[in-house]
Amino acid sequence: MANLTQIRIFLLLGATFLFLYLLGCLFDADVNVVKSIHSTYGHFGSTTRRGKCTPARNIVFIKVPKCGGSTITNIFQRYGEKHNLSFLLPRAGIPSIDASDIRDHIGDAVNLIVNHVHFYEKFMKQLMPRDTLYIGVLRNPMGYLKSYYNYAEKGITKKGVNVSLADFEENPWKYPDLKVRQNRQSSFYGALDKGATPKGIEEFILHVDSKFNLILITDHMKESIVLLGELLCWSMEDMLYVSHKVSTDGQLGEKSTTSFEHTTNMALAERNYRIYSPLDYAMFEFFNKTLWRKISAMGKSFDDKFRKFDAMLNNLQNRCRYTSESLGLSDEYIQSVIKEDSDSEDYLCHRMLLPSTQYIEYILRPKQNII
C-alpha cells in the first residue's frame, strides 16, 4: 500500500511538473510574440498578437519648436477633426500648453495633446487614457540651432551688437547675452536630475525611451511618418502631409529661416555645440539609431510601404503646393476652408496648408465650443 501511495505521489508530481513546463512554454511563446511585435514596430499599443490593429485615438505629441512639428501636428489635427476626437488646446492667444492647462482638465475626456508642450509626465498620465501613445520629435542639433537661431532673431544681443550664427558657432561661450538655451530640444522631455554627466545623460535618455512609443526624426521625415502610420494603424491618406516650411514661406507669412549661415568650419562648430548641448546630441543620436533599427526590423514590408507612400506624397504635394486659392491667410481664404465640403477636390490640400494656429482658432476650437 505504501509503495502504491508513493507511486501515486510520484505520478502526481510528474504531472504537475509537466503542466508547469507546458505552461512555461506557452508563456514563452506569448512573450516571443510580444517581443516580435515590439522589435518590429516599437511599443505598439494598438497592435494585437493576432497581427491586427485598432486605429489609435489617444495621443500625446511633444511638439518641439523648429523640428517640423507643425507638419506633424497638422496630421493629428486633420485626423482628430475627421473622427470627432477631443483636443486639449492652448488657451486663446497662447501658443503652448503648460502644466496648469493639463492639471485643470484632469477628469475631462481628452484624446489628443498635439501642440507645443513639455512632457509633464505626472499630469499627462492622470489626464490621458491608459492606452495613450506618446510621440516625440527631435532634429540634428546643428540644423536645429540654425533654424532656432535665425527664427528667434538671436543675431542681435541686448547691447545691439550683431553676432552672426557663424560667430556664435565658433565660440558660443563668448556671447552669454544671446541666451541661446543649452539642450533646448531635450528640455521638452524633462530635466536632468543628476546633471550632464555621462551617467545622468544615459539615465535621462533611457527614461524617455521607456515612456515614449516613438521619437520621430525631422531629418528623416518620410521614414518617420511611415513608421508613425504603422504605430497608429492609420491609413496612408491619413498620414499625407505638405511641409509647413514650404507652405508657410513668403505668402503665408512665416519669418525666413535663411537670414544667417553656418560657419565654414563645421567641424569646429559641431565640436563646440556638442560641448554646449551634450544632452541634445546624445538624445538625437540615440533615437536616430532607434528609428533606423525599427525600420530595419520591418524589412521588405517597410520598403514596400515607403515606396507606395512616397508616390502618393509626391502626387499630392505637387497638387497642393500650387492650389490657386492658397494665396495667403486672408479672411476670404480662411472662410472658404472652413465651409468647404469634404468632397471638394481641394479639401485635403486646404486642410493641409492651414497653419496650426488657424486650424485651432477657426476649426477645432469652435467645434469643441471652447473659448
Side-chain angles (χ1 to χ4, degrees):
M1 179 67 71
N3 289 337
L4 183 59
T5 301
Q6 289 176 347
I7 291 172
R8 288 175 177 171
I9 293 174
F10 177 80
L11 292 173
L12 180 60
L13 287 173
T16 301
F17 284 130
L18 179 61
F19 172 77
L20 291 174
Y21 172 78
L22 294 174
L23 183 63
C25 291
L26 181 61
F27 177 78
D28 287 342
D30 287 346
V31 169
N32 287 334
V33 170
V34 175
K35 283 182 178 178
S36 175
I37 291 170
H38 285 187
S39 64
T40 303
Y41 301 110
H43 306 292
F44 273 13
S46 61
T47 304
T48 69
R49 286 185 302 177
R50 291 192 177 94
K52 298 179 181 179
C53 63
T54 301
R57 294 170 57 87
N58 303 312
I59 298 163
V60 168
F61 171 53
I62 303 302
K63 182 185 177 186
V64 180
K66 313 314 297 174
C67 285
S70 296
T71 300
I72 301 164
T73 290
N74 181 268
I75 293 173
F76 293 133
Q77 288 176 325
R78 295 192 331 258
Y79 189 91
E81 180 198 0
K82 179 180 178 181
H83 296 277
N84 296 313
L85 302 181
S86 175
F87 290 82
L88 176 61
L89 300 173
R91 284 166 288 161
I94 306 296
S96 59
I97 297 168
D98 62 27
S100 64
D101 296 324
I102 300 171
R103 186 179 61 243
D104 292 347
H105 286 275
I106 292 175
D108 294 347
V110 174
N111 300 113
L112 298 162
I113 303 177
V114 297
N115 293 96
H116 287 311
V117 65
H118 286 69
F119 180 45
Y120 299 111
E121 182 177 354
K122 177 182 176 182
F123 297 138
M124 286 176 172
K125 294 293 184 183
Q126 293 174 353
L127 170 64
M128 299 300 292
R130 286 189 175 184
D131 64 350
T132 297
L133 296 176
Y134 287 82
I135 313 299
V137 64
L138 292 169
R139 183 177 183 177
N140 184 298
M142 291 308 299
Y144 179 84
L145 173 64
K146 183 180 188 299
S147 183
Y148 171 65
Y149 187 97
N150 294 343
Y151 180 81
E153 295 182 335
K154 295 293 182 182
I156 299 179
T157 71
K158 289 183 178 180
K159 297 178 181 179
V161 178
N162 292 323
V163 178
S164 69
L165 174 61
D167 288 339
F168 176 81
E169 289 175 333
E170 290 169 7
N171 190 350
W173 302 277
K174 184 178 176 181
Y175 306 104
D177 288 344
L178 289 182
K179 299 188 183 303
V180 178
R181 285 186 56 187
Q182 297 169 272
N183 299 309
R184 190 167 188 268
Q185 290 188 76
S186 51
S187 70
F188 281 80
Y189 295 90
L192 277 174
D193 293 331
K194 300 180 180 179
T197 64
K199 184 172 180 57
I201 288 174
E202 179 184 12
E203 290 180 354
F204 180 89
I205 292 174
L206 291 177
H207 177 74
V208 173
D209 187 43
S210 71
K211 300 300 178 180
F212 279 75
N213 300 85
L214 182 62
I215 302 291
L216 310 173
I217 300 297
T218 306
D219 309 75
H220 308 294
M221 181 66 83
K222 289 181 184 179
E223 291 87 351
S224 293
I225 295 299
V226 171
L227 200 60
L228 178 61
E230 286 293 300
L231 171 62
L232 300 178
C233 191
W234 290 2
S235 71
M236 286 193 180
E237 182 174 294
D238 292 327
M239 305 308 298
L240 292 172
Y241 64 91
V242 170
S243 171
H244 274 229
K245 180 179 179 182
V246 173
S247 67
T248 58
D249 273 349
Q251 293 174 332
L252 297 186
E254 287 292 330
K255 295 179 183 178
S256 171
T257 59
T258 59
S259 301
F260 307 100
E261 298 300 329
H262 288 299
T263 175
T264 55
N265 191 347
M266 286 303 294
L268 174 64
E270 183 169 341
R271 185 162 62 247
N272 285 341
Y273 202 54
R274 278 182 180 275
I275 299 171
Y276 193 77
S277 289
L279 182 53
D280 273 9
Y281 260 100
M283 285 271 288
F284 171 77
E285 289 174 346
F286 178 90
F287 286 107
N288 187 44
K289 289 178 181 177
T290 301
L291 178 83
W292 287 102
R293 188 163 55 246
K294 291 178 179 180
I295 289 172
S296 178
M298 287 183 64
K300 187 176 182 298
S301 172
F302 181 88
D303 295 338
D304 292 343
K305 291 177 180 180
F306 182 86
R307 281 193 294 270
K308 182 176 180 181
F309 179 73
D310 192 37
M312 292 175 64
L313 195 63
N314 287 335
N315 289 335
L316 181 125
Q317 288 189 344
N318 288 333
R319 177 164 60 90
C320 287
R321 190 172 301 165
Y322 302 107
T323 301
S324 59
E325 294 88 351
S326 57
L327 300 178
L329 295 178
S330 65
D331 289 340
E332 182 181 0
Y333 171 74
I334 290 174
Q335 290 303 317
S336 69
V337 172
I338 295 170
K339 299 173 183 177
E340 190 169 14
D341 190 278
S342 59
D343 293 330
S344 166
E345 181 181 359
D346 290 323
Y347 177 85
L348 185 57
C349 290
H350 287 158
R351 283 298 197 267
M352 286 181 175
L353 287 164
L354 197 63
S356 175
T357 52
Q358 281 73 27
Y359 212 126
I360 291 172
E361 181 178 357
Y362 295 104
I363 296 177
L364 300 181
R365 200 182 300 279
K367 281 195 172 187
Q368 296 191 181
N369 297 315
I370 296 174
I371 298 175

